[in-house]
Amino acid sequence: MRPIGIFDSGYGGLTVFREIRQAMPQYDYLYLGDNARAPYGPRSFELVYEFTLQAVRHLFDQGCPLVILACNTASAKALRTIQQRDLPRLFPPSGTDTDGLPTRRVLGVIRPTVEAVGDITHTRHIGIMATQGTVRSHTYELELAKLHPDITVTGEACPMWVPLVENYEYESDGADYFVQKNINHLLARDPLIDAIILGCTHFPLLYNKVRAYTPAHIQLMSQGEYVANSLKSYLRRHPTMEARLSQGGAARFFTTEQPDNFNDSAAIFLNHPVLAQHVTLA
Ligand code: DGL
């Protein structure tokens, strides 16, 4: 198998995987959740980079020619270095490749989201709800400045949201408390916001709560759909990479935690039984 690898610190990337597989059911997929070391949000640049590179290498070792970092924190803190420093060194372009790119590739979730938001906001004021790591990296601001310099961005770190999802508390009263608190805080900082990016792949699990505490005129953007569309167009534009992918319609799951825990939660997120394998990353 030469599957598409999908990586997240935990369960959140399943929200992206679900949309990608729905849009492109023909490919094989390999999902890896580093649940034992989640959340990544509060961790340093160095650690997020180290953990992400370990995960990417594991997915390459399993045969994936292409890996999607279905994690904003990893996309914000590790993607550039992996793309610019590690891949050209580890997998230099082959003579038969016409695009001159490394033979293995890694893509993130921030760029496709930033591309999409320009068509969604009218006031040109947007909010980003994300982990501390993503907000403090200012990656969204940097990407927006390149594509939509007229947009004003306000980032809101939501450090309790990932633990609520990882611990299966996203429908609890505790989730109401933290979601309402962060939404109110964000909107008080910029009342002109008319679009909010759920800039963490765990957050679609909290969508109903976020919707309940956000005024109806504000659009909420979950990333899965944008990432799936962007991947589809990427594969159209890069036929050499597309030809490397196997098309058996299968999906396998790996976790650094106990597979039983992963299976139970992933089955709820995906609506079908999941049988994950344990893996140790180093
Ligand atoms: N799903 C990850 C993201 O999109 C969560 C990060 C974490 O583990 O804190 O940022």
Side-chain angles (χ1 to χ4, degrees):
M1 280 225 296
R2 281 164 285 110
I4 297 176
I6 300 195
F7 168 67
D8 181 47
S9 61
Y11 298 116
L14 292 170
T15 63
V16 173
F17 165 66
R18 199 170 51 198
E19 300 288 333
I20 290 180
R21 191 173 51 171
Q22 197 171 316
M24 290 163 282
Q26 69 273 33
Y27 297 116
D28 294 309
Y29 294 97
L30 209 163
Y31 184 90
L32 170 60
D34 191 7
N35 301 76
R37 301 189 293 193
Y40 278 14
R43 295 189 187 275
S44 68
F45 264 87
E46 291 72 19
L47 266 188
V48 172
Y49 165 67
E50 188 185 321
F51 290 174
T52 305
L53 187 60
Q54 288 171 357
V56 166
R57 292 189 79 133
H58 175 77
L59 289 166
F60 286 160
D61 289 346
Q62 295 293 314
C64 299
L66 175 66
V67 172
I68 311 297
L69 300 184
C71 174
N72 289 266
T73 312
S75 299
K77 292 186 163 194
L79 180 64
R80 279 280 164 271
T81 314
I82 292 176
Q83 280 177 333
Q84 290 174 5
R85 199 181 68 190
D86 298 309
L87 295 183
R89 186 170 47 91
L90 297 170
F91 304 100
S94 83
T96 52
D97 271 6
T98 46
D99 52 16
L101 293 170
T103 53
R104 308 264 174 125
R105 310 226 184 113
V106 181
L107 303 172
V109 288
I110 294 181
R111 181 80 184 198
T113 313
V114 167
E115 279 170 6
V117 75
D119 293 334
I120 289 176
T121 171
H122 298 290
T123 61
R124 313 309 276 172
H125 284 247
I126 68 164
I128 317 272
M129 322 289 299
T131 65
Q132 286 151 289
T134 301
V135 170
R136 289 191 190 147
S137 74
H138 296 291
T139 307
Y140 271 96
E141 283 88 334
L142 295 170
E143 292 295 329
L144 278 157
K146 288 183 217 156
L147 288 183
H148 310 294
D150 60 318
I151 292 182
T152 302
V153 199
T154 306
E156 174 78 13
C158 308
M160 292 305 292
W161 292 21
V162 171
L164 285 167
V165 173
E166 284 292 310
N167 293 294
Y168 199 55
E169 289 284 340
Y170 55 91
E171 280 171 346
S172 67
D173 296 343
D176 281 278
Y177 174 81
F178 286 108
V179 167
Q180 186 176 24
K181 179 177 161 184
N182 287 122
I183 292 283
N184 288 349
H185 189 243
L186 172 71
L187 297 179
R189 289 164 65 208
D190 184 356
L192 294 178
I193 286 172
D194 71 346
I196 295 177
I197 294 174
L198 299 181
C200 170
T201 55
H202 282 66
F203 294 178
L205 276 308
L206 289 158
Y207 185 91
N208 292 340
K209 301 266 185 220
V210 181
R211 190 65 277 174
Y213 293 109
T214 304
H217 72 278
I218 298 180
Q219 291 239 38
L220 295 180
M221 294 176 65
S222 292
Q223 300 176 289
E225 183 192 333
Y226 307 114
V227 176
N229 288 339
S230 166
L231 178 59
K232 214 173 187 172
S233 123
Y234 180 88
L235 293 175
R236 259 199 310 267
R237 286 180 284 116
H238 295 88
T240 337
M241 176 51 76
E242 204 277 338
R244 287 194 187 105
L245 303 172
S246 58
Q247 302 202 12
R252 286 187 295 151
F253 299 86
F254 289 89
T255 176
T256 54
E257 247 299 346
Q258 291 307 317
D260 288 351
N261 297 349
F262 186 92
N263 294 343
D264 291 346
S265 299
I268 294 166
F269 297 164
L270 295 176
N271 269 326
H272 63 71
V274 167
L275 262 187
Q277 284 169 258
H278 179 262
V279 69
T280 306
L281 296 177

